[in-house]
Amino acid sequence: MMLKIAWLILAAIHALPALALFRPAMIGQLYRVASDNPLFLLLHHRAALFLVIFLLAVWAAFDPASRRIASVGVGVSMVSFLVLYWSAGSPPALKTIAMTDLVGIPFLIFVTWKAFAA
């Protein structure tokens, strides 16, 4: 049961940015980028990628066979953002996103350990 909960927490972390695919106005709220900014399109596409991460985490919550690949996908998403964030000098505008990913890291470690220990 704890494993399913951990996967669903990871899914929840990615739900809000994934929702921006269907509600593009959220991009301005989440990233402070106006719709006339050329980066808006890139961030809209990023929301589609977050939908993939969200779906991987939900899938892994209910299908043990998918947990290894889901661990890799979710891990690459979260860890790469944190590394890039710190490499860029920890931009204050992205602090909330970084802190959210940081909160998810213990859950990611747990699900990855369980996926590869089996």
Side-chain angles (χ1 to χ4, degrees):
M1 183 61 138
M2 288 302 295
L3 192 54
K4 278 186 184 181
I5 292 170
W7 276 113
L8 293 174
I9 288 169
L10 290 169
I13 287 171
H14 294 90
L16 193 58
L19 188 58
L21 178 62
F22 307 104
R23 298 195 58 205
M26 291 180 63
I27 293 169
Q29 297 166 343
L30 291 170
Y31 307 111
R32 299 181 188 139
V33 174
S35 60
D36 61 347
N37 186 320
L39 292 176
F40 189 87
L41 177 60
L42 185 63
L43 292 171
H44 201 186
H45 178 259
R46 185 175 187 262
L49 297 176
F50 273 115
L51 180 60
V52 171
I53 299 301
F54 169 81
L55 292 172
L56 276 174
V58 170
W59 186 9
F62 300 99
D63 178 23
S66 68
R67 290 180 178 157
R68 286 186 177 182
I69 193 67
S71 296
V72 172
V74 174
V76 166
S77 175
M78 293 175 72
V79 173
S80 67
F81 175 76
L82 288 170
V83 168
L84 292 169
Y85 172 76
W86 287 319
S87 297
S90 304
L94 300 176
K95 184 177 181 180
T96 301
I97 297 166
M99 295 308 293
T100 303
D101 274 1
L102 200 55
V103 165
I105 292 294
F107 297 100
L108 177 63
I109 291 169
F110 174 66
V111 299
T112 302
W113 171 65
K114 294 297 267 182
F116 286 92

